[in-house]
Amino acid sequence: MPTCLPLVLRRCHTCASGRFRVNGKFRVNANHKLIDAWLLVLCTACGETAKLTVLERTKVRSVRPELLDRLHANDLGLAAELLQDPVVRRRNRIALDWAGAWRLDTGGSDHVGREVIDVSVRFAARIPVRPVRLIAEGCRLSRAETDRLITDGKLVSAVRLSGKLSGGFTFTLKR
């Protein structure tokens, strides 16, 4: 589950840094019947503000009133939703860095001593994480030991465990 908003990976025009943090502030500008809206992000190195386009030259009447209210209220939840939106990420040519922005909730440690465990993993948000890393942290194993269990066929799943996933999956661990 997420613990904070991820960093935005984008080049800063002032200092050439590649990371921005999101503070949840929006800028909304209306010109007659058209509206523009941006999510403001701050460079982690120099503090320069950059704008991520949310709405561009959109007719005011076509914007849902609740969205407009959330933009004016600087809703942090809306900022999180917009960062998850692939259209917004593609339009602004950004990527997200989720390092340190999520935590693993295992629901307890009663599984640690068992011989065979069947686990179902659910994501509270679409956070791209390597399943091997989740399994190692959740089962209190080293990454090398997790890789060895996969090679030996003692850690099996219907999905490929070596890539990144952002959706739920299941796996079985035999010790």
Side-chain angles (χ1 to χ4, degrees):
M1 60 183 33
T3 57
C4 61
L5 293 175
L7 292 177
V8 174
L9 301 177
R10 174 182 168 174
R11 185 73 47 205
C12 178
H13 297 293
T14 304
C15 70
S17 171
R19 299 186 182 285
F20 286 82
R21 64 182 164 79
V22 180
N23 63 357
K25 303 282 186 203
F26 291 92
R27 177 160 187 252
V28 179
N29 184 29
N31 186 5
H32 299 288
K33 296 179 182 179
L34 301 177
I35 190 167
D36 295 311
W38 301 275
L39 174 61
L40 302 178
V41 294
L42 302 172
C43 177
T44 57
C46 68
E48 184 70 21
T49 301
K51 300 184 292 188
L52 303 179
T53 302
V54 176
L55 298 173
E56 187 172 33
R57 311 304 289 163
T58 306
K59 292 185 179 184
V60 175
R61 291 196 180 266
S62 67
V63 178
R64 296 186 328 269
E66 57 273 3
L67 174 63
L68 204 51
D69 290 342
R70 291 177 76 186
L71 288 168
H72 287 301
N74 292 322
D75 186 357
L76 195 59
L78 177 61
E81 290 173 24
L82 290 171
L83 287 176
Q84 295 283 329
D85 187 0
V87 173
V88 172
R89 289 199 317 255
R90 189 172 34 255
R91 175 189 298 154
N92 291 287
R93 296 182 183 98
I94 61 169
L96 301 178
D97 180 10
W98 283 98
W102 60 274
R103 71 177 172 87
L104 179 64
D105 183 13
T106 60
S109 61
D110 60 339
H111 64 277
V112 175
R114 290 193 183 161
E115 285 295 316
V116 177
I117 56 172
D118 290 317
V119 178
S120 177
V121 178
R122 289 181 296 114
F123 287 78
R126 296 190 54 79
I127 302 171
V129 180
R130 296 190 186 283
V132 172
R133 181 175 177 197
L134 281 179
I135 294 167
E137 283 186 32
C139 296
R140 298 183 185 154
L141 302 169
S142 68
R143 291 285 301 275
E145 188 177 357
T146 306
D147 290 336
R148 184 183 53 75
L149 289 170
I150 291 172
T151 304
D152 294 345
K154 294 183 178 183
L155 177 58
V156 294
S157 177
V159 298
R160 195 181 81 207
L161 298 174
S162 60
K164 284 190 176 183
L165 289 176
S166 56
F169 67 97
T170 60
F171 67 91
T172 302
L173 174 64
K174 303 171 192 170
R175 296 183 191 226

